[in-house]
Amino acid sequence: MKEYQTKNPYTTEVVDTYTEDSSVEIESKLKKALAIESSWARMEIEDRCELLTNVAELLIERKEEYAALMTQEMGKPYAQGISEIEKCAWACDFYALNADDLLADEIIDTDADESFISHDPLGCILAVMPWNYPFWQVIRFAAPTLTAGNTALLKHAQNVTGCSLAIEQLFLDAGYPEGCFQSLKAGHEEIEKLIANDGIKAVTLTGSEKAGKSIAGTAGKHLKKSVLELGGNNACIVWEDADLDQHINTMVTARMQNTGQSCIAAKRFIVCEDIYDAFLEKFTAKVKSLKSGDPRNEETFIGVMAREDLAEELQKQVNESIKKGAKVILGNMRNGAYYSPTILTDVTIDMPVFIEETFGPVAAITKAKNREEAIALAANSRLGLGSMLFTEDIDAAMNIISNIPDGAFFINDMVKSDPRLPFGGTKASGYGRELSREGILEFVNKKTVYIKK
Ligand SMILES: O=CCCCC(=O)O
């Protein structure tokens, strides 16, 4: 059986050694999920919501422990880990409070005496999740999906296996029946086999475009629904009238939080020329002030990247862009998994840092002649997760909402997820939505009921 280790990217120490689940173990987990399926689906929604409230309470109780685990496994700065766990608790509270309404029958007026849409659970849903937000990515799937009456199997990224197992235990400790939420230590081949199994009713994946194509391809072949949340190459558009003093910190956070390893981070800064110099000065000063260091320290804002190979890959994208004419204003220094916050200017549309997603602390800055050019540059991407625009001219900003072909458009704030709002992308960023009403309705049978009395 295949063994693997998890490694602390900051200290480079081995955290733990695991053995992948065998086919037999995976099948037995699926059987457990199927055994609980109908009783879980029939449980009163109030009871499922109560269990979710327990999860929220446990998350808050254990936030230090879970934040430290994320720091250890993928180098997340500890304070940002605490915020992540608090956000997970918020999502659980949101669904515990609202799931009943969100899942209520939707009455539709027709020629029937009564007609409505009911929302039945689908069954066992497979989730394939990434390492960058080890708890949040899972909870934002699991909270609505389980509360809708489904069961779940989680295949988490290998480097955060400890987090994956901690989440499984969290649901058990909160009182969920065994089999309701289980964690798998499975390789790609086993996952492909699992998707083909009749017991799996749908798949959700947050991850790379390559993984999305592969998982969704298998799901499609077996006529199973998939939800994909893939990469992003979000533009942060700065019009000439933006209030830099008010928003520069937000713009820096939008790029640098989680050491830049976020699908919705601001990656391409597209700045109108009339404000360009002032923007660059303030942006650079703020980035310089960010504290890099040991992710275990509460004051650290920039930790290490989750793995050394990821930092190497990022540096390659930067160096290729430099060859094409990008200028380094700050950073581009690497030491193991540490990659220093980097600012590149003179970025053009043919450079890797403009075309590709950069999953680390690199801000790629492009100057635009005017507002129109800035919008056109922002929309020039294969990816479509979100864009943000900073301006004092809210009317003009509202007028261009439909010119932004992304899943989200934020004016005077960074693109961020919120349990009350749908989250997801267009184009190569994937399809389907997480969170909010849209998220809880992704994995239900929207059943048409038509009654003549
Ligand atoms: O890679 C995606 C990160 C999403 C982070 C968030 O929801 O805030």
Side-chain angles (χ1 to χ4, degrees):
M1 228 113 53
K2 226 164 149 192
E3 280 204 341
Y4 64 95
Q5 293 179 325
T6 52
K7 274 195 190 141
N8 181 324
Y10 182 72
T11 64
T12 71
E13 284 160 5
V14 171
V15 178
D16 220 328
T17 303
Y18 298 96
T19 308
E20 277 187 6
D21 292 337
S22 65
S23 306
V24 175
E25 283 167 315
I26 291 172
E27 261 175 47
S28 115
K29 286 183 183 181
L30 178 59
K31 273 193 190 135
K32 253 194 200 171
L34 298 179
I36 192 83
E37 196 170 277
S38 63
S39 61
W40 178 247
R42 280 199 312 270
M43 187 189 261
E44 292 296 328
I45 178 89
E46 294 75 24
D47 296 333
R48 290 202 296 264
C49 288
E50 203 175 305
L51 292 175
L52 197 56
T53 303
N54 297 346
V55 175
E57 283 168 10
L58 285 176
L59 281 163
I60 296 300
E61 246 173 73
R62 298 175 181 176
K63 64 181 172 184
E64 285 91 1
E65 178 196 333
Y66 292 158
L69 184 56
M70 291 190 280
T71 300
Q72 191 183 34
E73 287 196 320
M74 49 70 70
K76 187 182 295 280
Y78 177 77
Q80 292 170 43
I82 294 285
S83 306
E84 178 171 338
I85 300 299
E86 288 171 350
K87 189 164 174 179
C88 290
W90 177 26
C92 291
D93 282 334
F94 170 78
Y95 281 111
L97 209 64
N98 296 296
D100 199 3
D101 286 343
L102 299 175
L103 294 166
D105 292 343
E106 192 183 331
I107 311 289
I108 313 265
D109 252 349
T110 64
D111 55 351
D113 293 306
E114 221 180 302
S115 50
F116 57 89
I117 304 167
S118 72
H119 302 115
D120 300 344
L122 296 182
C124 186
I125 314 298
L126 173 66
V128 180
M129 290 294 157
W131 47 262
N132 62 339
Y133 289 87
F135 276 72
W136 171 243
Q137 302 277 20
V138 175
I139 294 294
R140 80 163 158 204
F141 149 74
T145 305
L146 296 178
T147 310
N150 300 291
T151 59
L153 289 175
L154 166 69
K155 186 263 180 273
H156 217 325
Q158 274 197 342
N159 58 335
V160 291
T161 300
C163 293
S164 180
L165 297 173
I167 298 169
E168 178 181 65
Q169 193 58 47
L170 167 70
F171 281 104
L172 288 171
D173 294 347
Y176 282 68
E178 259 199 58
C180 215
F181 180 96
Q182 296 171 89
S183 175
L184 307 172
K185 293 185 266 83
H188 184 71
E189 231 170 81
E190 289 300 333
I191 291 303
E192 296 274 332
K193 261 175 31 199
L194 193 56
I195 296 170
N197 192 303
D198 285 345
I200 294 293
K201 295 297 184 288
V203 191
T204 181
L205 173 134
T206 298
S208 68
E209 202 177 319
K210 185 169 165 236
K213 280 183 177 158
S214 158
I215 294 289
T218 309
K221 189 166 140 204
H222 296 281
L223 301 179
K224 312 226 170 136
K225 176 173 181 170
S226 57
V227 167
L228 297 182
E229 202 273 271
L230 309 176
N233 199 359
N234 290 4
C236 172
I237 308 155
V238 187
W239 276 355
E240 79 296 334
D241 63 342
D243 183 340
L244 293 178
D245 289 330
Q246 196 183 339
H247 298 303
I248 204 77
N249 289 354
T250 303
M251 296 183 207
V252 170
T253 305
R255 172 65 275 200
M256 298 296 171
Q257 72 169 357
N258 210 37
T259 315
Q261 302 165 113
S262 171
C263 54
I264 48 168
K267 286 163 191 148
R268 298 172 299 139
F269 290 80
I270 302 180
V271 185
C272 284
E273 65 185 9
D274 288 352
I275 201 172
Y276 185 86
D277 291 344
F279 166 83
L280 190 58
E281 189 191 321
K282 287 179 199 287
F283 189 82
T284 306
K286 180 66 193 169
V287 174
K288 272 186 184 159
S289 76
L290 300 176
K291 195 171 162 7
S292 288
D294 186 337
R296 291 168 292 196
N297 292 341
E298 291 203 31
E299 310 75 47
T300 297
F301 189 82
I302 300 285
V304 283
M305 292 180 60
R307 297 193 316 258
E308 186 171 348
D309 62 296
L310 297 168
E312 276 167 8
E313 178 58 29
L314 181 66
Q315 195 171 34
K316 215 158 92 194
Q317 289 172 298
V318 168
N319 287 340
E320 286 300 313
S321 301
I322 293 169
K323 275 193 211 146
K324 286 177 177 266
K327 295 202 170 56
V328 182
I329 298 297
L330 188 72
N332 193 23
M333 315 254 278
R334 190 176 70 75
N335 179 9
Y338 175 72
Y339 186 77
S340 62
T342 296
I343 299 177
L344 297 179
T345 60
D346 297 66
V347 169
T348 51
I349 59 171
D350 57 336
M351 295 179 185
V353 294
F354 189 95
I355 300 167
E356 300 165 9
E357 176 171 36
T358 50
F359 217 65
V362 173
I365 304 178
T366 304
K367 194 188 281 183
K369 281 197 216 47
N370 50 38
R371 294 179 176 192
E372 292 69 35
E373 189 182 53
I375 297 301
L377 282 164
N380 182 352
S381 175
R382 293 179 59 252
L383 301 166
L385 203 47
S387 295
M388 57 215 93
L389 167 63
F390 290 88
T391 178
E392 291 299 280
D393 190 350
I394 302 300
D395 289 342
M398 305 261 303
N399 275 335
I400 53 110
I401 293 174
S402 59
N403 300 0
I404 300 288
D406 295 347
F409 183 49
F410 280 56
I411 299 171
N412 289 328
D413 208 339
M414 57 192 264
V415 176
K416 56 190 174 189
S417 55
D418 179 321
R420 299 162 293 189
L421 290 169
F423 183 93
T426 58
K427 302 192 267 182
S429 289
Y431 48 76
R433 292 293 178 264
E434 296 190 278
L435 299 173
S436 75
R437 176 178 159 83
E438 310 301 319
I440 200 167
L441 295 185
E442 283 289 5
F443 298 119
V444 294
N445 172 17
K446 293 175 186 159
K447 187 188 286 168
T448 298
V449 182
Y450 183 99
I451 306 166
K452 280 242 163 117
K453 291 181 179 162

